[in-house]
Amino acid sequence: TYQLLLLREKTFVQNFFDATGKTSGVDFWRFGPPAAKWDTPDSDPLKEILDKKQEIEAFTGIAPNKIVMSERVYNALRMHPKIQAQVVYAPTAPDVKGLVTPELLAKLFDVEEVLIGRAVHDTNPEGTELSPTYMYPDNCLLVYAPERPGLMVPTGGYIFAWTGYNAGYNVGIATIDLPTHKAVRYEGEMAYDQKILAPDLGYLFTDVLTS
């Protein structure tokens, strides 16, 4: 079950979050690098994200409400001096001075939610030396996603589930006895597809870190 869910996460990264091999157009968000890398003090990720958010809203009439970023990008932003400068520290509060959380970033960027991609996978073939790495590249996706899906509801994209087959998201597990091998075989399957539907409702900041 975990392997299937990890595969779905990898498919999400390939379809929505990684601009490698893609060109701007009807099948993908507009994308590009920031003016300066976000892990350098001279950069201004807060202004760049707010500017793109306003740009999308002015063009479509809909303001992006979600931000997805990698773990490394999140760690860089939470330590960025311009973002740290926005944090108000109350000495009486039982908290860490200058603590930046996804919820705080959501308030700063004026979106409903900031999501952190923390999935890890092994890039080497099975049976070889372990080479774990984060699945999400150092990108940041600003996008609109409605609270509830609908046929006439604008959205950057959907993950479609075939509800007539294992209820779509649910992982169907089959148990098969193999008496000749004195073993039991387990098979798992899911039925879904992931599509960008409105490229104008998203923007992907690419390669936002220096290394």
Side-chain angles (χ1 to χ4, degrees), residues 85-144:
Q86 301 294 320
V87 178
V88 177
Y89 173 64
T92 58
D95 210 339
V96 179
K97 184 176 181 179
L99 177 65
V100 177
T101 63
E103 292 75 20
L104 181 57
L105 286 178
K107 291 181 179 179
L108 287 174
F109 296 134
D110 192 22
V111 295
E112 295 174 3
E113 192 174 20
V114 170
L115 301 168
I116 314 301
R118 291 189 168 97
V120 176
H121 66 152
D122 183 11
T123 56
N124 279 350
E126 186 174 355
T128 61
E129 183 179 356
L130 184 66
S131 179
T133 184
Y134 283 114
M135 187 179 294
Y136 283 75
D138 295 330
N139 299 337
C140 178
L141 175 62
L142 174 67
V143 69
Y144 174 76

Side-chain angles (χ1 to χ4, degrees), residues 56-112:
I56 292 173
E57 184 177 19
F59 186 72
T60 66
I62 300 174
N65 63 343
K66 307 279 185 180
I67 295 177
V68 185
M69 64 183 68
S70 71
E71 171 81 0
R72 280 168 40 87
V73 173
Y74 169 59
N75 286 334
L77 290 184
R78 67 197 310 217
M79 298 301 295
H80 197 284
K82 288 187 174 65
I83 290 178
Q84 284 283 327
Q86 301 294 320
V87 178
V88 177
Y89 173 64
T92 58
D95 210 339
V96 179
K97 184 176 181 179
L99 177 65
V100 177
T101 63
E103 292 75 20
L104 181 57
L105 286 178
K107 291 181 179 179
L108 287 174
F109 296 134
D110 192 22
V111 295
E112 295 174 3

Side-chain angles (χ1 to χ4, degrees), residues 12 15-17 28-30 49-50 52-54 56-57 60 62-69 109-115 140-147 154-158 195-205:
F12 172 87
N15 289 338
F16 296 143
F17 199 78
F28 200 67
W29 329 109
R30 290 181 299 118
I49 290 176
L50 291 178
K52 284 299 178 184
K53 182 172 178 287
Q54 184 178 18
I56 292 173
E57 184 177 19
T60 66
I62 300 174
N65 63 343
K66 307 279 185 180
I67 295 177
V68 185
M69 64 183 68
F109 296 134
D110 192 22
V111 295
E112 295 174 3
E113 192 174 20
V114 170
L115 301 168
C140 178
L141 175 62
L142 174 67
V143 69
Y144 174 76
E147 182 178 353
T155 179
Y158 277 143
K195 295 290 185 182
I196 292 178
L197 299 178
D200 292 331
L201 291 179
Y203 185 86
L204 184 68
F205 295 91

Side-chain angles (χ1 to χ4, degrees), residues 179-192:
T180 57
H181 293 74
K182 296 183 179 180
V184 177
R185 177 185 178 93
Y186 296 96
E187 294 183 354
E189 51 193 349
M190 302 177 71
Y192 62 88

